[in-house]
Amino acid sequence: MNIRALGFLLAVMSLAVNVLRLALPALYGDVSDVGPYTTLLMSPGLPAASFLMMAIGGMAVIFGTAEPIGTPVTSPPHRGNRTTAQPLLLTAEAQTAAISLNERLTRFRSLPADAVSAEASIEFDAIVAKHLPHLRAAHDGARLTVPDGSTEAEALDHDYAQSLDRLTATVDRLVNDCSEAARDRFAVEQRFIEMRHPDGSLSI
């Protein structure tokens, strides 16, 4: 409960008791002996104090200083100074491998839909949605543990580039298989036309 809520609660309680102070004498006569707690709440100074607490709580909320009463202030856990959001200084080998893979991914996406088999589509989706993101995340996490430009960073980037090259080779194979299948389908249709129309004349 914060200061403003406590002040609001006291104000409501004070208002209720003051209403009872006016109503009870009309119903029961003398109610001067109502107990110490009710006497305290019926005191004229309590409404002013409660409204003062409401004002303080309101100012605290406006200026962003209101905190729940009894809540300890804790600092966030230490997570290091570098995050994966910061750009990594990759080696030229790793950059080249990443560019080459992006080109192959773009090439596959440009294939006609009817030229892509279901198996090739499943394998490509797995590369894009799982294999490549997981590889990048693991590499970035490892690279953030070593200084940029160090021997350890170069070794990690070299291994990363080799993994990217493997993915590039797989996408190349998918593109070639789909392209070959499309050309084979065209060759079949071409042979059919040659057999059905051997002299080039229109035949029904």
Side-chain angles (χ1 to χ4, degrees), residues 103-117 120-121 124 170-183 185:
E103 291 176 349
R104 301 308 196 284
L105 296 177
T106 301
R107 177 73 182 93
F108 185 90
R109 293 189 180 101
S110 67
L111 293 175
D114 58 355
V116 179
S117 64
S121 180
F124 180 82
T170 299
V171 178
D172 271 339
R173 175 177 57 80
L174 296 178
V175 171
N176 292 334
D177 290 346
C178 292
S179 300
E180 184 177 358
R183 290 192 296 269
R185 186 164 57 251

CSV table of all heavy atoms in Angstrom, one decimal, residues 103-117 120-121 124 170-183 185:
chain,number,residue,atom,x,y,z
A,103,GLU,N,23.0,-14.4,-50.0
A,103,GLU,CA,22.8,-14.5,-51.5
A,103,GLU,C,22.1,-15.8,-51.8
A,103,GLU,O,21.2,-15.8,-52.7
A,103,GLU,CB,24.1,-14.3,-52.2
A,103,GLU,CG,24.7,-12.9,-52.1
A,103,GLU,CD,26.1,-12.8,-52.8
A,103,GLU,OE1,26.6,-13.9,-53.1
A,103,GLU,OE2,26.6,-11.7,-52.9
A,104,ARG,N,22.5,-16.9,-51.3
A,104,ARG,CA,21.9,-18.2,-51.6
A,104,ARG,C,20.5,-18.3,-51.1
A,104,ARG,O,19.6,-18.8,-51.7
A,104,ARG,CB,22.7,-19.4,-51.0
A,104,ARG,CG,24.1,-19.4,-51.5
A,104,ARG,CD,24.3,-19.4,-53.0
A,104,ARG,NE,25.6,-19.8,-53.4
A,104,ARG,CZ,26.7,-19.1,-53.3
A,104,ARG,NH1,26.7,-17.9,-52.8
A,104,ARG,NH2,27.9,-19.6,-53.7
A,105,LEU,N,20.2,-17.7,-49.9
A,105,LEU,CA,18.9,-17.7,-49.4
A,105,LEU,C,18.0,-16.9,-50.3
A,105,LEU,O,16.8,-17.3,-50.5
A,105,LEU,CB,18.9,-17.1,-47.9
A,105,LEU,CG,19.7,-17.9,-46.9
A,105,LEU,CD1,19.6,-17.1,-45.5
A,105,LEU,CD2,19.1,-19.3,-46.7
A,106,THR,N,18.5,-15.8,-50.7
A,106,THR,CA,17.7,-14.9,-51.6
A,106,THR,C,17.4,-15.7,-52.9
A,106,THR,O,16.3,-15.6,-53.5
A,106,THR,CB,18.4,-13.6,-51.9
A,106,THR,OG1,18.6,-12.9,-50.7
A,106,THR,CG2,17.6,-12.7,-52.9
A,107,ARG,N,18.4,-16.4,-53.4
A,107,ARG,CA,18.2,-17.2,-54.7
A,107,ARG,C,17.2,-18.2,-54.5
A,107,ARG,O,16.3,-18.4,-55.4
A,107,ARG,CB,19.6,-17.8,-55.0
A,107,ARG,CG,19.5,-18.7,-56.3
A,107,ARG,CD,19.4,-17.9,-57.5
A,107,ARG,NE,19.3,-18.7,-58.7
A,107,ARG,CZ,18.1,-19.1,-59.3
A,107,ARG,NH1,17.0,-18.8,-58.7
A,107,ARG,NH2,18.1,-19.9,-60.3
A,108,PHE,N,17.1,-18.9,-53.4
A,108,PHE,CA,16.1,-20.0,-53.2
A,108,PHE,C,14.7,-19.3,-53.1
A,108,PHE,O,13.8,-19.9,-53.7
A,108,PHE,CB,16.4,-20.7,-51.9
A,108,PHE,CG,15.5,-21.9,-51.7
A,108,PHE,CD1,15.8,-23.1,-52.2
A,108,PHE,CD2,14.3,-21.7,-51.0
A,108,PHE,CE1,14.9,-24.2,-52.0
A,108,PHE,CE2,13.4,-22.8,-50.8
A,108,PHE,CZ,13.7,-24.0,-51.3
A,109,ARG,N,14.6,-18.2,-52.4
A,109,ARG,CA,13.3,-17.6,-52.3
A,109,ARG,C,12.8,-17.1,-53.6
A,109,ARG,O,11.6,-16.9,-53.8
A,109,ARG,CB,13.4,-16.4,-51.3
A,109,ARG,CG,13.7,-16.8,-49.9
A,109,ARG,CD,13.5,-15.6,-48.9
A,109,ARG,NE,13.7,-16.0,-47.5
A,109,ARG,CZ,14.9,-15.8,-46.9
A,109,ARG,NH1,15.9,-15.2,-47.5
A,109,ARG,NH2,15.0,-16.1,-45.6
A,110,SER,N,13.7,-16.9,-54.6
A,110,SER,CA,13.3,-16.4,-55.9
A,110,SER,C,12.8,-17.5,-56.8
A,110,SER,O,12.3,-17.2,-57.9
A,110,SER,CB,14.4,-15.6,-56.6
A,110,SER,OG,15.5,-16.5,-56.9
A,111,LEU,N,12.9,-18.7,-56.4
A,111,LEU,CA,12.5,-19.8,-57.3
A,111,LEU,C,11.0,-19.8,-57.4
A,111,LEU,O,10.3,-19.5,-56.4
A,111,LEU,CB,13.0,-21.2,-56.7
A,111,LEU,CG,14.5,-21.4,-56.7
A,111,LEU,CD1,14.8,-22.7,-56.0
A,111,LEU,CD2,15.0,-21.5,-58.1
A,112,PRO,N,10.4,-20.2,-58.5
A,112,PRO,CA,9.0,-20.4,-58.6
A,112,PRO,C,8.4,-21.4,-57.6
A,112,PRO,O,9.1,-22.4,-57.3
A,112,PRO,CB,8.7,-20.8,-60.1
A,112,PRO,CG,10.0,-20.5,-60.8
A,112,PRO,CD,11.1,-20.5,-59.8
A,113,ALA,N,7.2,-21.1,-57.1
A,113,ALA,CA,6.6,-22.0,-56.1
A,113,ALA,C,6.5,-23.4,-56.6
A,113,ALA,O,6.7,-24.4,-55.9
A,113,ALA,CB,5.3,-21.4,-55.7
A,114,ASP,N,6.1,-23.6,-57.9
A,114,ASP,CA,5.9,-24.9,-58.4
A,114,ASP,C,7.2,-25.7,-58.7
A,114,ASP,O,7.2,-26.9,-59.0
A,114,ASP,CB,5.1,-24.9,-59.7
A,114,ASP,CG,5.7,-24.0,-60.8
A,114,ASP,OD1,6.7,-23.4,-60.5
A,114,ASP,OD2,5.1,-24.0,-61.9
A,115,ALA,N,8.3,-25.0,-58.6
A,115,ALA,CA,9.6,-25.6,-58.8
A,115,ALA,C,10.2,-26.1,-57.5
A,115,ALA,O,11.2,-26.8,-57.6
A,115,ALA,CB,10.6,-24.6,-59.5
A,116,VAL,N,9.7,-25.7,-56.4
A,116,VAL,CA,10.2,-26.1,-55.1
A,116,VAL,C,9.4,-27.3,-54.6
A,116,VAL,O,8.2,-27.3,-54.4
A,116,VAL,CB,10.1,-25.0,-54.1
A,116,VAL,CG1,10.7,-25.4,-52.7
A,116,VAL,CG2,10.9,-23.7,-54.6
A,117,SER,N,10.1,-28.4,-54.3
A,117,SER,CA,9.5,-29.6,-53.8
A,117,SER,C,9.2,-29.4,-52.3
A,117,SER,O,9.7,-28.5,-51.6
A,117,SER,CB,10.4,-30.8,-54.0
A,117,SER,OG,11.6,-30.7,-53.2
A,120,ALA,N,12.3,-30.0,-50.2
A,120,ALA,CA,13.2,-28.8,-50.2
A,120,ALA,C,12.7,-27.7,-49.4
A,120,ALA,O,13.4,-27.0,-48.7
A,120,ALA,CB,13.4,-28.4,-51.7
A,121,SER,N,11.4,-27.4,-49.4
A,121,SER,CA,10.8,-26.3,-48.7
A,121,SER,C,10.9,-26.6,-47.2
A,121,SER,O,11.2,-25.7,-46.4
A,121,SER,CB,9.3,-26.2,-49.0
A,121,SER,OG,8.7,-25.2,-48.3
A,124,PHE,N,14.6,-26.0,-46.2
A,124,PHE,CA,14.9,-24.6,-46.2
A,124,PHE,C,14.3,-23.9,-45.0
A,124,PHE,O,15.0,-23.1,-44.4
A,124,PHE,CB,14.4,-24.0,-47.5
A,124,PHE,CG,14.7,-22.5,-47.7
A,124,PHE,CD1,16.0,-22.1,-48.1
A,124,PHE,CD2,13.8,-21.6,-47.3
A,124,PHE,CE1,16.3,-20.8,-48.2
A,124,PHE,CE2,14.1,-20.2,-47.5
A,124,PHE,CZ,15.3,-19.8,-47.9
A,170,THR,N,24.4,-26.4,-48.4
A,170,THR,CA,23.1,-27.1,-48.4
A,170,THR,C,22.1,-26.3,-49.2
A,170,THR,O,21.3,-26.9,-50.0
A,170,THR,CB,22.6,-27.2,-46.9
A,170,THR,OG1,23.6,-28.0,-46.2
A,170,THR,CG2,21.2,-27.9,-46.9
A,171,VAL,N,22.0,-25.0,-49.1
A,171,VAL,CA,21.1,-24.2,-49.8
A,171,VAL,C,21.4,-24.3,-51.3
A,171,VAL,O,20.5,-24.3,-52.2
A,171,VAL,CB,21.1,-22.7,-49.4
A,171,VAL,CG1,20.1,-21.9,-50.2
A,171,VAL,CG2,20.7,-22.7,-47.9
A,172,ASP,N,22.7,-24.3,-51.7
A,172,ASP,CA,23.1,-24.5,-53.1
A,172,ASP,C,22.5,-25.8,-53.6
A,172,ASP,O,22.0,-25.9,-54.7
A,172,ASP,CB,24.6,-24.5,-53.2
A,172,ASP,CG,25.2,-23.1,-53.4
A,172,ASP,OD1,24.4,-22.2,-53.9
A,172,ASP,OD2,26.4,-22.9,-53.1
A,173,ARG,N,22.6,-26.9,-52.8
A,173,ARG,CA,22.1,-28.2,-53.3
A,173,ARG,C,20.6,-28.1,-53.5
A,173,ARG,O,20.1,-28.6,-54.4
A,173,ARG,CB,22.5,-29.2,-52.2
A,173,ARG,CG,21.9,-30.6,-52.5
A,173,ARG,CD,22.3,-31.6,-51.5
A,173,ARG,NE,21.9,-31.3,-50.2
A,173,ARG,CZ,20.7,-31.4,-49.6
A,173,ARG,NH1,19.7,-31.9,-50.4
A,173,ARG,NH2,20.5,-31.1,-48.4
A,174,LEU,N,19.9,-27.4,-52.6
A,174,LEU,CA,18.4,-27.3,-52.7
A,174,LEU,C,18.1,-26.5,-54.0
A,174,LEU,O,17.2,-26.9,-54.7
A,174,LEU,CB,17.9,-26.6,-51.5
A,174,LEU,CG,18.0,-27.3,-50.1
A,174,LEU,CD1,17.4,-26.5,-49.0
A,174,LEU,CD2,17.3,-28.7,-50.2
A,175,VAL,N,18.8,-25.5,-54.2
A,175,VAL,CA,18.6,-24.7,-55.4
A,175,VAL,C,18.8,-25.5,-56.7
A,175,VAL,O,18.0,-25.5,-57.6
A,175,VAL,CB,19.4,-23.4,-55.4
A,175,VAL,CG1,19.3,-22.7,-56.8
A,175,VAL,CG2,19.0,-22.5,-54.3
A,176,ASN,N,19.9,-26.2,-56.7
A,176,ASN,CA,20.3,-27.0,-57.9
A,176,ASN,C,19.3,-28.2,-58.1
A,176,ASN,O,18.9,-28.4,-59.2
A,176,ASN,CB,21.7,-27.6,-57.7
A,176,ASN,CG,22.8,-26.5,-57.7
A,176,ASN,OD1,22.5,-25.5,-58.3
A,176,ASN,ND2,23.9,-26.8,-57.1
A,177,ASP,N,18.8,-28.8,-57.0
A,177,ASP,CA,17.9,-29.9,-57.1
A,177,ASP,C,16.6,-29.4,-57.7
A,177,ASP,O,16.0,-30.0,-58.6
A,177,ASP,CB,17.6,-30.6,-55.8
A,177,ASP,CG,18.8,-31.4,-55.3
A,177,ASP,OD1,19.8,-31.6,-56.1
A,177,ASP,OD2,18.9,-31.7,-54.1
A,178,CYS,N,16.1,-28.2,-57.2
A,178,CYS,CA,14.8,-27.7,-57.6
A,178,CYS,C,15.0,-27.2,-59.1
A,178,CYS,O,14.0,-27.4,-59.9
A,178,CYS,CB,14.4,-26.5,-56.7
A,178,CYS,SG,13.9,-27.0,-55.1
A,179,SER,N,16.1,-26.6,-59.4
A,179,SER,CA,16.3,-26.2,-60.8
A,179,SER,C,16.4,-27.3,-61.8
A,179,SER,O,15.8,-27.3,-62.9
A,179,SER,CB,17.6,-25.3,-60.9
A,179,SER,OG,17.5,-24.2,-60.1
A,180,GLU,N,17.1,-28.4,-61.3
A,180,GLU,CA,17.2,-29.6,-62.2
A,180,GLU,C,15.8,-30.2,-62.4
A,180,GLU,O,15.5,-30.7,-63.5
A,180,GLU,CB,18.2,-30.6,-61.6
A,180,GLU,CG,18.4,-31.8,-62.4
A,180,GLU,CD,19.5,-32.7,-61.8
A,180,GLU,OE1,20.0,-32.4,-60.8
A,180,GLU,OE2,19.7,-33.8,-62.4
A,181,ALA,N,15.0,-30.3,-61.3
A,181,ALA,CA,13.7,-30.9,-61.4
A,181,ALA,C,12.8,-30.1,-62.4
A,181,ALA,O,12.1,-30.7,-63.2
A,181,ALA,CB,13.1,-31.0,-60.1
A,182,ALA,N,12.9,-28.8,-62.3
A,182,ALA,CA,12.2,-27.9,-63.2
A,182,ALA,C,12.6,-28.1,-64.6
A,182,ALA,O,11.7,-28.2,-65.6
A,182,ALA,CB,12.3,-26.5,-62.8
A,183,ARG,N,13.9,-28.2,-64.9
A,183,ARG,CA,14.4,-28.5,-66.3
A,183,ARG,C,14.0,-29.8,-66.8
A,183,ARG,O,13.6,-30.0,-68.0
A,183,ARG,CB,15.9,-28.3,-66.3
A,183,ARG,CG,16.3,-26.8,-66.1
A,183,ARG,CD,17.8,-26.7,-66.4
A,183,ARG,NE,18.7,-27.4,-65.5
A,183,ARG,CZ,19.2,-27.0,-64.4
A,183,ARG,NH1,18.9,-25.7,-64.0
A,183,ARG,NH2,19.9,-27.7,-63.6
A,185,ARG,N,11.3,-31.4,-65.9
A,185,ARG,CA,9.8,-31.4,-66.2
A,185,ARG,C,9.6,-30.7,-67.5
A,185,ARG,O,8.8,-31.1,-68.3
A,185,ARG,CB,9.1,-30.6,-65.1
A,185,ARG,CG,7.6,-30.6,-65.2
A,185,ARG,CD,6.9,-30.2,-64.0
A,185,ARG,NE,7.3,-28.9,-63.5
A,185,ARG,CZ,8.1,-28.7,-62.4
A,185,ARG,NH1,8.5,-29.8,-61.7
A,185,ARG,NH2,8.5,-27.5,-62.0
